Amino acid sequence: MKVSIVGSGLVGATAAYALTLRGSCSELVLTDKDEKRAQAEAQDIAHASPVSHGTRVSSGPTEALQGSRVVIVAAGANQKPGESRLDLTGKNAAIFRELIPQVAACAPGSVLLIATNPVDALTDLATRLAPDHAVLGSGTVLDSARFRHLIARHAGVDPTHVHGYVLGEHGDSEVLAWSTVTVAGLPVDEFMAARGLPWTPEMRAEIETGTRDAAAHIIDGKRATYYGIGASLARITERILGDRRAVLTVSAPTPEFGVSLSLPRIVSAGGVQGTVMPRLTSEEQRALEASARVLREASAGLEG
């Protein structure tokens, strides 16, 4: 039950903290090009272990990845105010070309969970750079959580009882698949009517904007997002470690679209076990195909 995290910045460290508090694994190793940062984050997080689940937390070089069941890759440049995730493609692809072969060599048999943005393009690249490993990206697990959170606020219910997916790119072209959304098993409009609550096109548009613009709004206010993605990475990791066969919108190579993107996937000990293509409206299907085109263009030229 060993998990390692490559990249001990805000996202990597927050994922490590979430894994420790949730008792997701028995051993956790942080690595970073900045060894002092990795050591400090590991020490700080280790102090939470005695008052949570006793996870053994340490830091080390890349060689310390040996024996990991899951390796979370969170190394790379962060999105700055005014940047899109796709703006990071070139610089983070260069980092991956050097990093991923090292990770693969030091952690044979592990599942590589990509968190670095642009996560879809880098999931594609990592798949080519580590052909003997199962590779998946965090995809739109966080976007779907934001979507569900905003719907739950309007519906006045616990967000764990709202189900629905954001598909395609983890980025500007993502598709909010309203046709997949249910609250307590009912489509949103039917649930709202049953509860005597208002449901208008303006409210729906507000939810869409809040979901799409969440990251930009947070980055503008505090320079980075890390809590939501940290918890999302912990959840994905738990599903892999426990062979849970959970349905999550992770990113993975999708031959019918010619690129890695997010669809509901069955996630188990071996990574992505299968894909469940939801029934979409014609408008949603067109939007998903458009999102795939955006990602193919972004991935063009990123050969392993």
Side-chain angles (χ1 to χ4, degrees):
M1 293 289 281
K2 177 179 178 179
V3 174
S4 295
I5 299 178
V6 179
S8 300
L10 290 170
V11 170
T14 305
Y17 186 51
L19 288 161
T20 300
L21 290 187
R22 294 163 66 110
S24 307
C25 54
S26 57
E27 183 180 359
L28 182 60
V29 175
L30 281 75
T31 71
D32 198 280
K33 189 174 182 180
D34 182 348
E35 294 180 11
K36 190 173 180 180
R37 173 69 180 266
Q39 290 170 358
E41 293 289 4
Q43 184 178 14
D44 197 9
I45 293 166
H47 295 163
S49 182
V51 292
S52 53
H53 295 275
T55 303
R56 300 185 300 277
V57 185
S58 64
S59 65
T62 309
E63 289 74 18
L65 303 179
Q66 179 73 36
S68 299
R69 292 268 306 278
V70 179
V71 178
I72 299 171
V73 182
N78 295 321
Q79 187 180 353
K80 294 181 174 60
E83 278 189 320
S84 74
R85 295 177 184 91
L86 292 179
D87 290 333
L88 304 173
T89 303
K91 46 190 167 185
N92 283 342
I95 292 169
F96 265 47
R97 288 191 185 97
E98 178 181 354
L99 178 66
I100 295 300
Q102 296 174 13
V103 170
C106 292
S110 63
V111 175
L112 305 187
L113 173 52
I114 309 302
T116 308
N117 280 319
V119 70
D120 303 292
L122 294 180
T123 296
D124 255 354
L125 181 59
T127 299
R128 294 195 294 271
L129 293 170
D132 295 330
H133 284 66
V135 180
L136 68 160
S138 55
T140 58
V141 172
L142 174 56
D143 309 78
S144 297
R146 289 167 172 161
F147 191 33
R148 293 166 57 204
H149 160 72
L150 292 172
I151 294 167
R153 279 205 322 192
H154 282 275
V157 299
D158 176 342
T160 62
H161 296 288
V162 176
H163 299 281
Y165 300 123
V166 176
L167 310 174
E169 180 196 2
H170 173 54
D172 295 341
S173 71
E174 65 188 25
V175 181
L176 279 64
W178 283 99
S179 63
T180 68
V181 178
T182 61
V183 184
L186 295 173
V188 182
D189 56 347
E190 291 183 25
F191 177 87
M192 295 300 214
R195 294 283 295 150
L197 297 171
W199 182 243
T200 65
E202 291 75 21
M203 294 168 68
R204 177 167 156 156
E206 180 186 336
I207 290 169
E208 291 181 357
T209 300
T211 302
R212 292 184 193 282
D213 295 349
H217 182 74
I218 294 167
I219 290 168
D220 185 58
K222 59 177 238 177
R223 314 295 292 179
T225 71
Y226 37 92
Y227 294 124
I229 186 59
S232 297
L233 290 166
R235 182 176 179 82
I236 299 166
T237 300
E238 289 168 356
R239 272 50 191 170
I240 296 169
L241 293 175
D243 193 23
R244 294 291 295 274
R245 294 171 171 80
V247 178
L248 300 169
T249 52
V250 294
S251 184
T254 312
E256 55 267 44
F257 288 102
V259 74
S260 287
L261 47 68
S262 291
L263 290 171
R265 317 274 189 183
I266 300 169
V267 178
S268 65
V272 173
Q273 187 183 68
T275 299
V276 182
M277 186 67 195
R279 249 188 228 110
L280 303 176
T281 66
S282 56
E283 182 181 357
E284 289 167 347
Q285 185 65 40
R286 287 193 296 272
L288 182 58
E289 290 166 359
S291 186
R293 282 195 297 275
V294 169
L295 290 171
R296 286 195 297 271
E297 291 171 5
S299 296
L302 293 187
E303 296 300 327

